[in-house]
Amino acid sequence: MFKEKEGLFPGIHKFTPRKKVGMLLLCAVSLAVFLWVVFVDKGEDLQELNASTKTNVGQSALTVQRLPPPPPPPPVYFKGYTLPPGNPCEGFTLPPPPADKKRTGPRPCPVCYLPVEQTIALMPDAPSFSPGVSNLTYIHEENSGKHEFGGYLSLAQRNDSYDVRESMSVHCGFVRGIRPGQQTGFDIDDSELHAMESCRGVVVASAIFGAFDLIRQPKNISEYAKKNVCFHMFVDEETEVFLRNSSELEGTKRIGLWRIVIVHNLPYDDPRRNGKVPKLLLHRLFPNARYSLWIDAKLELVVDPYQILERFLWRKNASFAISRHYRRFDVFVEAEANKAAGKFDNASIDYQVEFYKKEGLTPYSTAKFPITSDVPEGCVVVREHIPISNLFACLWFNEVDRFTPRDQISFAIVRDKIMSKTNWTVNMFLDCERRNFVVQGYHRDILEHWAPPPPPGATEIVHPPPPVANETLQTSGNVTTSSSVTDPLKEIPSKYGRDRKSKRHRKVIGS
């Protein structure tokens, strides 16, 4: 046994006395135990540290998740612009009307337009601010009684609709059905609805019901507008038949720039009231469009839509523009003129006016400044589709649906009620400016009473031309000043004495 130990530890026995061998082994064992203890303790400490770290990380993650999300960035709105110094349109003023005693009625006046390229570059990237209301929805009623299209507003509902607030739900036509134009009355084919929903920029719209007018093609339209503006003409089935019989509407659904939209199941018996649907509710028919330009079918558009938007909306920082009546500016005078001309049932007009008088409508006076008129020339409407202008259009339509279709009578009461709640207003420009970008024609029944053109080869009698206004086009660098693009035809007197009466027309004088 001793020999084996010597073999194992020859070095130890050689240098260490035998008595101290046991003590040396004991120290070695103690050192091993100490190292093992230290190692195990360090491992446990590392595990506890890792566990603690994971716990802290998890708690931090939970803490981060519980933090509220950051607020969204404030919305960006279009706030208008000023033309650069030296631009001729900046200080443009209307010249006095031509001294033509033989022509005292309404006429076009010069308008300072920017070139199309500049107007396109100035098109706002953001919508205008909508004061008073930011969220507007529309009431849907399947059981609306006999008023199937507009619904029937009680007086309490009508009064509530004029209480402008941030979030509102109002009647705005199309109260039945799936979506506007689908089982609502004023029904439109799905393919056309899809095309209308695809319009995301500018819409130019008009309508012909009862084959009452002829289609007039827009002129002086830029190539950019032809590609990007949606030109839609709404017609009923009677007008569709007339267009097909006259070979204007063939396989395609286009006549020139106009896309023909056939409307079925018209909601009203009165064509004039049906015409108010596309005129006032374009924001419902074109839910994704940003701007719209409505023109009556008797008018011919002769200026590019982008130039009109820039001149009457963007440059004025306005969201709704309409021209004043060239002669009348008082609702009560307008009502009497409608009665005298047999525009609608006199008793209905009287009832509407008396109703508005009880609500506080007063004759127009200078006390309403800066409002310059209570009566629009409603054949052209230029607007941006934002909640406040959409609300105005809805409430205006509700008045037309409730009372008479003479929208010139109901315009002022709707405008004034909204203005009393917000700082929103309407840009009412001069009627002579409107006559600069649209030319008025004649209804179809008048044109058909004219003598037909002479047959080929026949001798045509040439009459001397009638006197016309001074029509000059002035161009200056960056702008176009147009006095009239084309001369409107002389009006045909409808009854004896019309010419003498026209001499009392008020001249439009630029200020």
Side-chain angles (χ1 to χ4, degrees), residues 148-161:
E148 296 181 352
F149 185 79
Y152 185 78
L153 285 78
S154 64
L155 286 177
Q157 288 176 314
R158 177 182 176 273
N159 294 335
D160 181 70
S161 67

PDB file of all heavy atoms in Angstrom, residues 148-161:
ATOM      1  N   GLU A 148     -90.897  60.531 -50.429  1.00  0.00           N
ATOM      2  CA  GLU A 148     -89.981  59.401 -50.502  1.00  0.00           C
ATOM      3  C   GLU A 148     -88.549  59.820 -50.759  1.00  0.00           C
ATOM      4  O   GLU A 148     -87.633  59.091 -50.422  1.00  0.00           O
ATOM      5  CB  GLU A 148     -90.448  58.433 -51.598  1.00  0.00           C
ATOM      6  CG  GLU A 148     -91.792  57.794 -51.302  1.00  0.00           C
ATOM      7  CD  GLU A 148     -92.211  56.824 -52.392  1.00  0.00           C
ATOM      8  OE1 GLU A 148     -91.515  56.786 -53.421  1.00  0.00           O
ATOM      9  OE2 GLU A 148     -93.209  56.129 -52.218  1.00  0.00           O
ATOM     10  N   PHE A 149     -88.337  60.964 -51.337  1.00  0.00           N
ATOM     11  CA  PHE A 149     -86.971  61.342 -51.687  1.00  0.00           C
ATOM     12  C   PHE A 149     -86.320  62.224 -50.620  1.00  0.00           C
ATOM     13  O   PHE A 149     -85.213  61.957 -50.169  1.00  0.00           O
ATOM     14  CB  PHE A 149     -86.943  62.071 -53.034  1.00  0.00           C
ATOM     15  CG  PHE A 149     -85.563  62.380 -53.506  1.00  0.00           C
ATOM     16  CD1 PHE A 149     -84.775  61.402 -54.097  1.00  0.00           C
ATOM     17  CD2 PHE A 149     -85.023  63.649 -53.344  1.00  0.00           C
ATOM     18  CE1 PHE A 149     -83.481  61.676 -54.519  1.00  0.00           C
ATOM     19  CE2 PHE A 149     -83.737  63.940 -53.768  1.00  0.00           C
ATOM     20  CZ  PHE A 149     -82.965  62.948 -54.352  1.00  0.00           C
ATOM     21  N   GLY A 150     -86.998  63.271 -50.240  1.00  0.00           N
ATOM     22  CA  GLY A 150     -86.410  64.199 -49.285  1.00  0.00           C
ATOM     23  C   GLY A 150     -86.730  63.893 -47.840  1.00  0.00           C
ATOM     24  O   GLY A 150     -86.147  64.487 -46.936  1.00  0.00           O
ATOM     25  N   GLY A 151     -87.670  62.934 -47.613  1.00  0.00           N
ATOM     26  CA  GLY A 151     -88.115  62.729 -46.248  1.00  0.00           C
ATOM     27  C   GLY A 151     -89.038  63.862 -45.845  1.00  0.00           C
ATOM     28  O   GLY A 151     -89.251  64.825 -46.595  1.00  0.00           O
ATOM     29  N   TYR A 152     -89.591  63.763 -44.672  1.00  0.00           N
ATOM     30  CA  TYR A 152     -90.448  64.846 -44.200  1.00  0.00           C
ATOM     31  C   TYR A 152     -89.904  65.356 -42.877  1.00  0.00           C
ATOM     32  O   TYR A 152     -89.942  64.683 -41.851  1.00  0.00           O
ATOM     33  CB  TYR A 152     -91.896  64.394 -44.029  1.00  0.00           C
ATOM     34  CG  TYR A 152     -92.814  65.528 -43.662  1.00  0.00           C
ATOM     35  CD1 TYR A 152     -93.249  66.428 -44.632  1.00  0.00           C
ATOM     36  CD2 TYR A 152     -93.194  65.740 -42.335  1.00  0.00           C
ATOM     37  CE1 TYR A 152     -94.063  67.492 -44.300  1.00  0.00           C
ATOM     38  CE2 TYR A 152     -94.015  66.802 -42.004  1.00  0.00           C
ATOM     39  CZ  TYR A 152     -94.455  67.681 -42.979  1.00  0.00           C
ATOM     40  OH  TYR A 152     -95.255  68.738 -42.646  1.00  0.00           O
ATOM     41  N   LEU A 153     -89.390  66.576 -42.905  1.00  0.00           N
ATOM     42  CA  LEU A 153     -88.845  67.177 -41.701  1.00  0.00           C
ATOM     43  C   LEU A 153     -89.961  67.867 -40.915  1.00  0.00           C
ATOM     44  O   LEU A 153     -90.713  68.671 -41.472  1.00  0.00           O
ATOM     45  CB  LEU A 153     -87.777  68.225 -42.045  1.00  0.00           C
ATOM     46  CG  LEU A 153     -86.404  67.763 -42.497  1.00  0.00           C
ATOM     47  CD1 LEU A 153     -86.442  67.321 -43.953  1.00  0.00           C
ATOM     48  CD2 LEU A 153     -85.397  68.906 -42.344  1.00  0.00           C
ATOM     49  N   SER A 154     -90.054  67.544 -39.655  1.00  0.00           N
ATOM     50  CA  SER A 154     -90.933  68.325 -38.802  1.00  0.00           C
ATOM     51  C   SER A 154     -90.295  69.700 -38.601  1.00  0.00           C
ATOM     52  O   SER A 154     -89.113  69.911 -38.900  1.00  0.00           O
ATOM     53  CB  SER A 154     -91.121  67.625 -37.455  1.00  0.00           C
ATOM     54  OG  SER A 154     -89.881  67.561 -36.758  1.00  0.00           O
ATOM     55  N   LEU A 155     -91.063  70.643 -38.091  1.00  0.00           N
ATOM     56  CA  LEU A 155     -90.504  71.966 -37.838  1.00  0.00           C
ATOM     57  C   LEU A 155     -89.382  71.891 -36.805  1.00  0.00           C
ATOM     58  O   LEU A 155     -88.395  72.638 -36.898  1.00  0.00           O
ATOM     59  CB  LEU A 155     -91.605  72.916 -37.358  1.00  0.00           C
ATOM     60  CG  LEU A 155     -92.584  73.403 -38.433  1.00  0.00           C
ATOM     61  CD1 LEU A 155     -93.654  74.283 -37.811  1.00  0.00           C
ATOM     62  CD2 LEU A 155     -91.844  74.168 -39.523  1.00  0.00           C
ATOM     63  N   ALA A 156     -89.524  70.979 -35.843  1.00  0.00           N
ATOM     64  CA  ALA A 156     -88.462  70.823 -34.842  1.00  0.00           C
ATOM     65  C   ALA A 156     -87.184  70.315 -35.494  1.00  0.00           C
ATOM     66  O   ALA A 156     -86.077  70.794 -35.184  1.00  0.00           O
ATOM     67  CB  ALA A 156     -88.920  69.872 -33.738  1.00  0.00           C
ATOM     68  N   GLN A 157     -87.311  69.343 -36.406  1.00  0.00           N
ATOM     69  CA  GLN A 157     -86.125  68.841 -37.112  1.00  0.00           C
ATOM     70  C   GLN A 157     -85.517  69.923 -37.997  1.00  0.00           C
ATOM     71  O   GLN A 157     -84.288  70.045 -38.097  1.00  0.00           O
ATOM     72  CB  GLN A 157     -86.491  67.621 -37.950  1.00  0.00           C
ATOM     73  CG  GLN A 157     -86.762  66.367 -37.140  1.00  0.00           C
ATOM     74  CD  GLN A 157     -87.207  65.226 -38.018  1.00  0.00           C
ATOM     75  OE1 GLN A 157     -88.068  65.386 -38.897  1.00  0.00           O
ATOM     76  NE2 GLN A 157     -86.630  64.057 -37.807  1.00  0.00           N
ATOM     77  N   ARG A 158     -86.374  70.696 -38.653  1.00  0.00           N
ATOM     78  CA  ARG A 158     -85.867  71.773 -39.501  1.00  0.00           C
ATOM     79  C   ARG A 158     -85.101  72.797 -38.677  1.00  0.00           C
ATOM     80  O   ARG A 158     -83.996  73.221 -39.049  1.00  0.00           O
ATOM     81  CB  ARG A 158     -87.029  72.449 -40.234  1.00  0.00           C
ATOM     82  CG  ARG A 158     -86.614  73.630 -41.099  1.00  0.00           C
ATOM     83  CD  ARG A 158     -87.840  74.269 -41.757  1.00  0.00           C
ATOM     84  NE  ARG A 158     -87.461  75.453 -42.517  1.00  0.00           N
ATOM     85  CZ  ARG A 158     -87.361  76.668 -41.998  1.00  0.00           C
ATOM     86  NH1 ARG A 158     -87.602  76.854 -40.704  1.00  0.00           N
ATOM     87  NH2 ARG A 158     -87.034  77.695 -42.760  1.00  0.00           N
ATOM     88  N   ASN A 159     -85.654  73.188 -37.543  1.00  0.00           N
ATOM     89  CA  ASN A 159     -84.965  74.160 -36.696  1.00  0.00           C
ATOM     90  C   ASN A 159     -83.661  73.587 -36.161  1.00  0.00           C
ATOM     91  O   ASN A 159     -82.646  74.302 -36.065  1.00  0.00           O
ATOM     92  CB  ASN A 159     -85.874  74.574 -35.539  1.00  0.00           C
ATOM     93  CG  ASN A 159     -87.092  75.348 -36.014  1.00  0.00           C
ATOM     94  OD1 ASN A 159     -87.070  75.963 -37.080  1.00  0.00           O
ATOM     95  ND2 ASN A 159     -88.159  75.303 -35.234  1.00  0.00           N
ATOM     96  N   ASP A 160     -83.663  72.308 -35.818  1.00  0.00           N
ATOM     97  CA  ASP A 160     -82.450  71.684 -35.297  1.00  0.00           C
ATOM     98  C   ASP A 160     -81.352  71.641 -36.356  1.00  0.00           C
ATOM     99  O   ASP A 160     -80.162  71.736 -36.030  1.00  0.00           O
ATOM    100  CB  ASP A 160     -82.760  70.274 -34.801  1.00  0.00           C
ATOM    101  CG  ASP A 160     -81.543  69.587 -34.216  1.00  0.00           C
ATOM    102  OD1 ASP A 160     -81.093  69.990 -33.130  1.00  0.00           O
ATOM    103  OD2 ASP A 160     -81.034  68.647 -34.852  1.00  0.00           O
ATOM    104  N   SER A 161     -81.731  71.497 -37.622  1.00  0.00           N
ATOM    105  CA  SER A 161     -80.727  71.417 -38.680  1.00  0.00           C
ATOM    106  C   SER A 161     -79.975  72.735 -38.855  1.00  0.00           C
ATOM    107  O   SER A 161     -78.882  72.756 -39.422  1.00  0.00           O
ATOM    108  CB  SER A 161     -81.379  71.011 -40.007  1.00  0.00           C
ATOM    109  OG  SER A 161     -82.254  72.031 -40.478  1.00  0.00           O
TER     110      SER A 161
END
